[in-house]
Amino acid sequence: MKPSMLAATLCVLGALSLAPCAPAQEHAAAKPSASSEAPPLERLPGWAVPQSYDLAIKSDPRQSGYSGTVTIALDLKQASDYLWLHGKDLKVSEVTITDAAGKAHAGKYVQADADAGVARIDFGGTLQPQELQLKIAYRAPYNQTLEGFYKVVFAGNAYAQTQMEPISARYAFPCFDEPGFKVPLTLSLTIPADDKAVANTAQAKETTTSGGWKTIVFEPTKPLPTYLYAWAVGPWDIVDGPAIPANQWRKQPVPVRGIATRGNGDKMRRALAMVPGIIEAEENYYGFGYPFDKLDLAALPDFSAGAMENAGLVTYRDWLLLLDKDSSPSAVRSTFNVEAHELAHQWTGDTVTLDWWNDIWLNEAFATWMQQKVAMEIHPEYRTDLGRIEGGEGAMATDSLVSARMIRQPITGNGDIQTAFDGITYEKGAAVIGMFEHFVGPQVFQDGMRNYIKAHAFGNATADDLVGSIAGAADKGESFRKAFGSFLDQTGVPLVATRLDCDHKGAAVLELAQSRYLPLGSTGDANRLWGIPVCVRFPGGTQCQLLEGKSAQMKIPGGQCPAWYMPNADGAGYYRFSMDKDDRAALVKAIAQRDDAEQLVYADSVDADFHRGVMNASEVLDAMRQLAPSKVRQIALAPLDTLHWIYRHEAQTDAQRAAIREAVARAYLPRLQALGYERKPGESDDDALLRSSLADSLGLDFEIPSVRAALLEQGDAALKPGSDGTPDLGAANPDLLRTALSVAVEEHGKPAVDALLAAIPRTTDPTRRNAMLGALGHADGAQADVVRDFALGKQVKVGEMFMILGDGRETRAQRDGLWNWFTAHYRQILDRTGVFSGAYLPMVAAGGGCSQEEAQRVEAFFKPKLGQVPGLDRGLAQTREEIALCSALKSSQNAAAITQ
């Protein structure tokens, strides 16, 4: 070895030096010193890259905090005297840096930005590029807002569990808390000897230590981002479920277990039985075996999300997994659908992970789309094909706002990350995926998905990787990629205007034009272009083409003028349509003979035209009369949301409200009466679901007296004390319990409220708690403030608060009461829910408003607080805009049309 080469090698291997060799000095000189560089509040720099974590935690959930030591193997790619990582609310006691030569040096942990959770490790001198080990000892409190490693006391027992997504691993331990840093974790937990612990991987060994402790070491994980690390400690029930048999994609069976709070393990059986079929369906689609060594489903006693796809340890709100013989069809379907969604993430999210948060749709949209696909395969009676359309239409309400997010929203700070988990990401994303799948064909799309998973397994990917894989499988070029990107990289809902020209150069053509759909009162610019896969159904077949320009013509099969056409064939397109008047009249005559999906998008076109001011209340009532007789539940119920808006905001007199009630009763009450208010032996799930929907809508939304009387009878029976002194909730139909109790609260006020307030602390069953909490949201006047105060107390879980706070806003007086209470308790609400809820706070305070005064007061209250809570700016903008649009539509309507 030449002397110069030897010197260079010693520089790399040779520890810390305040006077390093010349080549290293030149490299280091290009890097700012720690004291001169601002903390990175978006992405961490790429010159310090973790390779693995070895995390040891000592945790007793009965205490207020825990201690830990993390050893991070990392690759320092350039000379530096510091590095950046993440840590929040951690008390670091010691930092040790071990260089490539094995020499240990003391470092220093500096909290550079406490709000963002960005920290700096100072080396004490410049280190050359090399492999390092960074060991950090720390203590931390259990988080109080369901983030990071948090604690819940439930039924007298203490539990500690994790929720890391999106950026809460930094609360649990010092780490590189970004999805692009995807590395293995080896975890050991020292816990009380009588507690149990679970984590992402199987237990490797367990040893008993002195003082009533034991240490459990888990197998190393596959490469994962920090947001997927998970563990839980407490007196859990752990029950075995049916193993997933070996198959062509996987040589070994996968053990399945359920994790529940003490005494609730047996309620996991129905949920666990669903797992093998879901996993096998997803394996068959992707052609790639379930990638982890075991699968646990955990029903957590309090949880900020609905569920979380942690690799090998999927966590849920308890009520989503705890089922019994009386569980409603709605609850059972929710369990299946959420399981299918979270388990789909084991491929899209866990095996292939987004590189950065602007591509969270690669996780959530694909899991939503796959959930719907799996449900249609295993349970076609669930009609998740229609669910995808309904979800897309729900997203359109938000996407019509000027303040809407893009699917691939640029990330400028933590607020953009925390507001990314919305209907745009999930439901619009799934609808856009379904649209392009429909355009290229299901088999071609599946080939592209299989290629994508295999190419990026256990690594990271971007939107370009996914779209490129689909384009490659479909043999599509740049035009296809650009079209797909036009839905990802801009906001808004396309509006496709159509007009039939039956004599265009001797042949029939359909004129197409595109713009942005905007509701009445919007300040948005309608001049926008997408690459829209427009598919139109004609009596002679379906024609598809990519509408890329402002306008185009579609040739009609056979060249003959059709009797009718449907502008959104199969309801597969993420766009709304506006038809020439005569063309629409022809479709209306034929709509009852169209398939279910096309009838559903026709119903949405009624709502869309009403909200852009081109259809009045009388025409909506006509559409209701046309759709209500449908035997398909989703189609029959579709007009009710629009009619509820008219009843709530447009109707100004008792006579107008009575006219709507009477019209709704004529259309729907006979069906509810035929179903009755009790379960019937052998009835279909769809009948039970229709009963629940009609009872809720007719009893609470439209206040039909006979329905309220029947529900009140059940509510009164449920409120009577049973043998244990608590309300006899089993006296009501379990499917209608929440609705019946809500009517009782509205009718009786204080006595009903007092009974529920006394019962909730004594009730642990999550389904019954949900019913009682939801009913309390219907309290009015002084009682409304009583139940809102109750929501801030310890008898209500953090994750349950919005069950109470989400209702009580039907009238202006109710909204004023909620507003006054909210503004007086803002700090308490924020402290209890944490900054993750920031985007939702304006909606909680003022959602449902419909006057300029309400828009102005929400702006005045929250605007000075922008910057204090991540995501608050977007939440404010959307809430304010929704209120202003409601006010504009209300002002434009002619209420006299209701009685015409």
Side-chain angles (χ1 to χ4, degrees), residues 388 430-440 487 531-533 572-575:
R388 179 177 298 165
V432 168
I433 292 166
M435 175 173 65
F436 282 97
E437 178 191 28
H438 182 265
F439 186 63
V440 303
F487 283 87
I532 310 172
Y574 185 80
Y575 55 84

Side-chain angles (χ1 to χ4, degrees), residues 542-824:
T542 300
Q543 189 84 353
C544 295
Q545 73 183 56
L546 200 61
L547 177 59
E548 299 174 278
K550 187 71 177 175
S551 60
Q553 293 177 338
M554 175 180 282
K555 294 182 179 178
I556 296 173
Q560 300 299 310
C561 194
W564 56 266
Y565 65 92
M566 159 50 72
N568 191 350
D570 300 315
Y574 185 80
Y575 55 84
R576 283 174 158 161
F577 58 81
S578 172
M579 303 176 72
D580 177 80
K581 184 178 180 180
D582 290 341
D583 296 356
R584 185 178 184 90
L587 176 62
V588 168
K589 293 178 181 178
I591 196 64
Q593 287 72 51
R594 301 308 324 126
D595 68 23
D596 298 343
E598 291 175 2
Q599 290 187 56
L600 199 57
V601 295
Y602 164 75
D604 175 70
S605 74
V606 173
D607 179 75
D609 279 354
F610 176 77
H611 278 92
R612 68 189 184 102
V614 299
M615 186 175 284
N616 65 25
S618 178
E619 292 168 305
V620 174
L621 285 165
D622 285 343
M624 177 202 70
R625 296 182 186 102
Q626 183 183 28
L627 296 167
S630 174
K631 294 181 179 180
V632 179
R633 173 172 50 87
Q634 294 86 341
I635 296 169
L637 298 175
L640 287 176
D641 282 345
T642 313
L643 283 168
H644 183 228
W645 189 96
I646 295 169
Y647 182 80
R648 178 179 172 184
H649 295 300
E650 183 177 342
Q652 301 296 307
T653 67
D654 290 343
Q656 291 166 352
R657 283 185 283 271
I660 296 173
R661 272 198 306 272
E662 291 167 8
V664 169
R666 282 195 298 270
Y668 293 101
L669 187 55
R671 295 185 74 167
L672 179 57
Q673 290 170 333
L675 291 167
Y677 293 89
E678 299 288 350
R679 291 177 173 178
K680 295 179 180 178
E683 72 178 353
S684 69
D685 285 358
D686 217 57
D687 280 350
L689 292 166
L690 181 60
R691 175 190 296 116
S692 297
S693 295
L694 288 176
D696 189 80
S697 185
L698 273 57
L700 294 175
D701 293 343
F702 294 99
E703 306 169 300
I704 294 175
S706 64
V707 178
R708 290 180 68 82
L711 291 168
L712 183 60
E713 183 178 353
Q714 291 202 24
D716 286 346
L719 286 174
K720 287 183 178 179
S723 58
D724 62 354
T726 62
D728 184 14
L729 300 181
N733 179 348
D735 304 346
L736 302 182
L737 179 59
R738 180 172 180 164
T739 306
L741 290 175
S742 298
V743 172
V745 167
E746 290 181 352
E747 293 293 330
H748 297 318
K750 188 176 188 304
V753 168
D754 288 346
L756 295 176
L757 292 179
I760 287 170
R762 301 174 61 184
T763 304
T764 59
D765 179 88
T767 301
R768 291 187 169 190
R769 285 181 66 90
N770 290 353
M772 291 189 286
L773 290 161
L776 286 175
H778 288 260
D780 200 4
Q783 292 303 304
D785 282 352
V786 170
V787 300
R788 290 166 189 151
D789 290 343
F790 180 70
L792 293 177
K794 292 185 178 180
Q795 301 296 347
V796 176
K797 303 175 190 178
V798 174
E800 294 174 331
M801 287 178 60
F802 295 125
M803 294 181 190
I804 292 177
L805 301 182
D807 281 313
R809 56 187 75 226
E810 283 286 305
T811 67
R812 175 62 190 268
Q814 288 176 328
R815 295 195 298 274
D816 287 348
L818 172 60
W819 175 259
N820 292 335
W821 178 87
F822 182 96
T823 54

Side-chain angles (χ1 to χ4, degrees), residues 22-35:
Q25 283 181 315
E26 292 171 0
H27 197 163
K31 186 68 188 171
S33 68
S35 61

Side-chain angles (χ1 to χ4, degrees), residues 163 226 242 319 327 775 850:
Q163 170 57 26
T226 50
W319 56 268
S327 294
C850 201

